[in-house]
Amino acid sequence: MINSTGADILDLIRRRVVLLDGALGTELMKRSGPPPGRCLELINIENPEAVRAVHGEYYDAGADVVSTNSFGGSPLKLATAGLAGRCRELNAAAARLAVSVRPSGRFVAGDIGPTGKFLQPQGEHTEAEFEDGFALQAEGLFEGGVDFILIETMFDLREALCAVRGARRVAASRPVFASLTFNRTKRGFFTLMGDGLEKCARAFEAEGLPAFGANCSLGSGDMADLIAEWKTLTSTPLIAQANAGKPEISGDQVVYAQSVDDYLSEIPRLIRNGAALIGGCCGTSPEYIRRMASLLPAAEGR
Ligand SMILES: [Zn+2]
């Protein structure tokens, strides 16, 4: 699957560790203030320069891939801000902004996050409803020119699978990657809905995903432990995007417990344990990604 800059993400994954980007929302708010209408995706229309600037900083830091500003871009999520009718437009705009600053040989991932709603029986929604919504989001993202889809921060394996099917309905030949959010318990790593690493691996393998993984919630040390365990359960390339530790409230701000030095100290172990695509999540910034790039093995093509 070669993109218009001549690069092939699946080939790159086979050759070396792939560097993803870090947090986007917090970086956007540094430049743009609180999101208009409580919706980060509206920034794609109202302050496109801010979005381009953050993507550009991640590419400059050495990221092979940046993810579009469309985490909350499913119709069900947009509906909470009264914007469900603008799903396609906001996602296409998100994609175009990232594509407009993509250097040759790099990639744009169309980012899909959770709806924030629950499937039956815990919630009121059906799998068909979720899948239709994600398909509409993917349509906008591909219209804007993304190279592949990265489904992330999913706390429900079933919802992640709805997103996989929705995205594939739109572009069956494009890679779709999925990343779940796990908590660490005494019994091991589990999603909010109680799915463990083995069950998730089998489900994603059955879908034939070229890569899957974990992001958010865990700091880099816990993430390195998770990857070590998951690696024994699957041969599929694994994605790891850790938070900068646990969020803590300091005054009216959220700060993250891991300093950049502490976060980075676990990255060599994360790679040794088998992570094939690495990047950051909440609390990370272009600085984290720049320093991660310097830790990667100086393999061919970097
Ligand atoms: Zn996160």
Side-chain angles (χ1 to χ4, degrees):
M1 185 58 244
I2 295 173
N3 74 12
S4 60
T5 80
D8 178 340
I9 186 66
L10 300 182
D11 179 56
L12 192 64
I13 293 170
R14 282 189 289 271
R15 287 195 287 117
R16 63 165 169 79
V17 173
V18 173
L19 189 59
L20 307 171
D21 62 1
L24 178 58
T26 43
E27 292 300 303
L28 278 175
M29 283 188 274
K30 277 184 205 164
R31 288 163 182 79
S32 217
R38 295 177 296 114
C39 175
L40 275 170
E41 287 69 27
L42 261 188
I43 301 176
N44 295 328
I45 307 292
E46 298 191 358
N47 192 354
E49 272 317 310
V51 182
R52 264 197 283 263
V54 177
H55 289 326
E57 283 185 30
Y58 278 120
Y59 281 131
D60 289 346
D64 297 302
V65 179
V66 307
S67 297
T68 55
N69 181 37
S70 54
F71 178 78
S74 64
L76 278 170
K77 183 74 181 176
L78 289 173
T80 60
L83 295 166
R86 297 179 68 183
C87 173
R88 194 174 168 136
E89 172 205 357
L90 292 170
N91 283 283
R96 284 191 193 99
L97 291 173
V99 168
S100 73
V101 295
R102 178 186 58 193
S104 180
R106 315 273 189 101
F107 304 92
V108 171
D111 191 283
I112 292 182
T115 60
K117 310 286 183 193
F118 288 91
L119 287 163
Q120 293 170 356
Q122 290 86 2
E124 54 178 308
H125 297 282
T126 65
E127 292 194 3
E129 236 179 309
F130 270 24
E131 194 177 311
D132 288 349
F134 288 126
L136 190 65
Q137 181 175 13
E139 248 176 65
L141 291 168
F142 281 117
E143 180 188 313
V146 301
D147 297 315
F148 57 88
I149 296 288
L150 175 60
I151 297 156
E152 56 137 323
T153 324
M154 288 286 176
F155 52 81
D156 181 356
L157 173 62
R158 286 169 65 208
E159 179 170 6
L161 294 170
C162 290
V164 168
R165 292 175 193 133
R168 284 185 165 164
R169 203 198 292 171
V170 178
S173 66
R174 299 298 190 94
V176 175
F177 305 151
S179 176
L180 300 167
T181 292
F182 292 91
N183 296 307
R184 186 168 205 162
T185 74
K186 287 199 190 83
R187 296 180 301 118
F189 295 97
F190 291 91
T191 65
L192 183 68
M193 305 305 282
D195 298 316
L197 295 176
E198 174 141 33
K199 179 178 177 185
C200 296
R202 296 296 92 81
F204 289 144
E205 287 167 356
E207 290 289 339
L209 295 197
F212 58 80
N215 75 288
C216 213
S217 307
L218 305 172
S220 57
D222 284 334
M223 187 63 84
D225 293 342
L226 180 151
I227 293 295
E229 193 176 327
W230 224 356
K231 196 68 198 165
T232 67
L233 298 167
T234 184
S235 56
T236 302
L238 293 174
I239 303 163
Q241 293 188 277
N243 279 359
K246 290 210 184 320
E248 290 164 2
I249 304 296
S250 164
D252 59 354
Q253 287 203 320
V254 178
V255 295
Y256 287 83
Q258 266 187 313
S259 69
V260 61
D261 287 333
D262 186 25
Y263 188 92
L264 267 291
S265 70
E266 297 283 3
I267 299 302
R269 191 165 70 89
L270 182 70
I271 296 168
R272 275 199 311 278
N273 289 355
L277 300 94
I278 64 169
C281 202
C282 303
T284 64
S285 66
E287 170 68 5
Y288 284 65
I289 299 304
R290 190 184 63 71
R291 290 188 50 187
M292 269 193 204
S294 70
L295 290 174
L296 292 178
E300 190 187 343
R302 178 177 289 288

